[in-house]
Amino acid sequence: MSKIEELIKKYEDRLDILQGDVDEINDMYEEEFNPSDWSGGNFDDAYSIGEDHGEVFAEYSMIKRFISELEDLLNNTQ
């Protein structure tokens, strides 16, 4: 297995973990998610929830893009 293939596998494993978080967040939003309710009315906690969700989606999106670029690189070197 090449180094590129190892990286792809590593990041695919991370995507699998993140997918559970993404699914959980999506389920919350489908239930008419209200950050104020989920945080007990505490603005700072509601803000923190939004930050956490943004970080999860950003990491997920970046890893998907990175995997795609690695696969392109792998296909162009073979």
Side-chain angles (χ1 to χ4, degrees), residues 15-64:
L15 268 185
D16 289 342
I17 293 168
L18 286 172
Q19 184 64 55
D21 295 338
V22 167
D23 291 343
E24 184 179 321
I25 292 168
N26 286 337
D27 288 345
M28 279 194 292
Y29 286 125
E30 287 176 5
E31 297 171 6
E32 297 182 25
F33 176 70
N34 182 336
S36 183
D37 290 344
W38 279 72
S39 68
N42 184 324
F43 174 80
D44 291 334
D45 290 346
Y47 187 86
S48 178
I49 289 170
E51 279 187 319
D52 293 344
H53 291 182
E55 289 173 4
V56 168
F57 280 107
E59 182 180 1
Y60 185 83
S61 297
M62 290 172 63
I63 290 175
K64 282 189 73 132

